[in-house]
Amino acid sequence: MEYFIAVNGQQQGPFSLEALRMQHISPSTLVWAPGMSGWQQAGQVAELQSLFQTHQQPPHSSPQYQQPQGHPYQQQAQPGGNAYGQQGGTFQQPSTDMISKPVDEVTRSLDEGKAYSKWMPTMYLIVGLLCCILPITYIIKVVNLDYFKDGMKTVVAILGIIIFIAAGVIGLFYWLNRRKSVKLLIDKQENSTLAVVGHFLQSAGESLGLLYYSSMAVVSLLSAILIGISAKHQGGDILLRGLGECAEYIIMGLVVLCLGRFLGEIAKRMSKDKKSRS
């Protein structure tokens, strides 16, 4: 976590824990970090106790403290002090706290991996189970098209169902494997928001590009060949339309695959750069 500090009435930071050691702050120095309800003395923050265990440094800030400029959180005024020139008043929390505080809590939870450890692996499991619904959607489609009333179309429908069942099972195991990898990512504490988002984008791109669109392309090709051969007068047109659909699915699959990997790689690189700077 990174902290802002108040020095001579001015806000400085943010600083990591190691950077704070170089600032030589004292237990009375006022600090603030996302998720904190307001400015507190450093000696009252549990994470900063290690800074004062070996030595004490001269305080940076005086007892009469002026609120750092440009910060959404306000400090309660010192007893007997003035609040913006009003005798005996106190600094009031602005209305934006109703929005900024919950957002800070969510952001901190995401950056610390607490949210990911709870619901992100579950999301991967849910997506994997949704892959198994793919054969059902195809069955509904061929039933509406009356494929089971024609001999060759019935064969195509059965082959398509088998292909989509196989794709659904492969998709389930693929997402379960990716679920293990995202849990390892969290356990290694490489769990920044960008890293996990990049992992999910790459997984989605590979799943859609390699499994869904590839299955559609294979089914379209089989339909074009088998139904085209059985057709007496329109076999050539059916074959051409099927080949066109097959090529369209292949192109769409490659685009989705490359886009998912590209966006995932960008997010992961941004996460590494952010981690190296901190």
Side-chain angles (χ1 to χ4, degrees):
M1 182 181 296
E2 296 182 334
Y3 291 83
F4 294 88
I5 63 175
V7 180
N8 296 325
Q10 297 296 321
Q11 173 183 305
Q12 296 184 10
F15 301 101
S16 65
L17 188 60
E18 291 299 321
L20 281 178
R21 296 182 185 276
M22 306 299 296
Q23 298 299 314
H24 303 297
I25 66 173
S26 71
S28 62
T29 301
L30 293 172
V31 299
W32 179 88
M36 295 173 59
S37 59
W39 291 84
Q40 297 181 15
Q41 292 186 351
Q44 298 176 353
V45 180
E47 189 178 10
L48 303 181
Q49 296 298 319
S50 60
L51 299 177
F52 316 114
Q53 291 177 354
T54 57
H55 60 277
Q56 297 291 333
Q57 297 293 341
H60 259 293
S61 55
S62 61
Q64 293 296 330
Y65 166 68
Q66 294 181 354
Q67 173 66 24
Q69 299 296 319
H71 204 281
Y73 286 91
Q74 305 289 345
Q75 178 216 8
Q76 186 175 0
Q78 298 292 333
N82 295 335
Y84 297 108
Q86 299 175 3
Q87 295 294 330
T90 57
F91 292 119
Q92 299 295 324
Q93 294 285 353
S95 59
T96 53
D97 277 0
M98 298 179 62
I99 298 175
S100 60
K101 185 175 180 180
V103 170
D104 288 340
E105 290 289 346
V106 172
T107 303
R108 184 178 64 172
S109 179
L110 291 176
D111 287 337
E112 293 177 354
K114 295 178 181 178
Y116 298 138
S117 62
K118 294 179 181 178
W119 55 263
M120 200 66 185
T122 304
M123 179 183 290
Y124 277 61
L125 176 61
I126 293 174
V127 176
L129 294 174
L130 289 177
C131 292
C132 298
I133 301 177
L134 186 61
I136 299 176
T137 59
Y138 180 75
I139 292 173
I140 295 173
K141 178 180 179 180
V142 295
V143 168
N144 291 334
L145 294 175
D146 294 331
Y147 268 37
F148 291 101
K149 294 183 179 180
D150 183 89
M152 187 56 69
K153 289 184 178 179
T154 300
V155 174
V156 172
I158 294 174
L159 290 175
I161 292 172
I162 295 173
I163 292 172
F164 282 120
I165 289 176
V169 173
I170 294 173
L172 173 62
F173 282 100
Y174 170 82
W175 279 98
L176 290 179
N177 183 63
R178 297 296 287 177
R179 178 172 176 261
K180 294 179 181 178
S181 61
V182 79
K183 290 180 70 175
L184 290 175
L185 188 68
I186 295 171
D187 293 339
K188 291 179 180 179
Q189 295 183 349
E190 299 174 2
N191 48 354
S192 70
T193 303
L194 291 170
V196 179
V197 168
H199 190 276
F200 184 81
L201 288 175
Q202 181 179 342
S203 302
E206 291 176 352
S207 178
L208 287 173
L210 294 177
L211 295 175
Y212 178 76
Y213 286 108
S214 296
S215 302
M216 295 294 293
V218 172
V219 172
S220 297
L221 182 62
L222 287 176
S223 300
I225 294 175
L226 296 177
I227 297 177
I229 292 175
S230 63
K232 296 181 180 180
H233 305 292
Q234 298 180 341
D237 294 338
I238 294 175
L239 182 59
L240 288 176
R241 287 199 301 269
L243 291 175
E245 290 181 359
C246 179
E248 180 181 349
Y249 286 128
I250 292 175
I251 293 173
M252 292 175 64
L254 289 174
V255 170
V256 172
L257 172 63
C258 294
L259 183 62
R261 287 190 170 181
F262 177 71
L263 294 177
E265 189 64 27
I266 289 178
K268 287 186 287 187
R269 287 182 180 273
M270 291 175 63
S271 174
K272 291 180 180 178
D273 292 341
K274 178 180 178 182
K275 186 176 181 181
S276 62
R277 288 196 299 269
S278 61

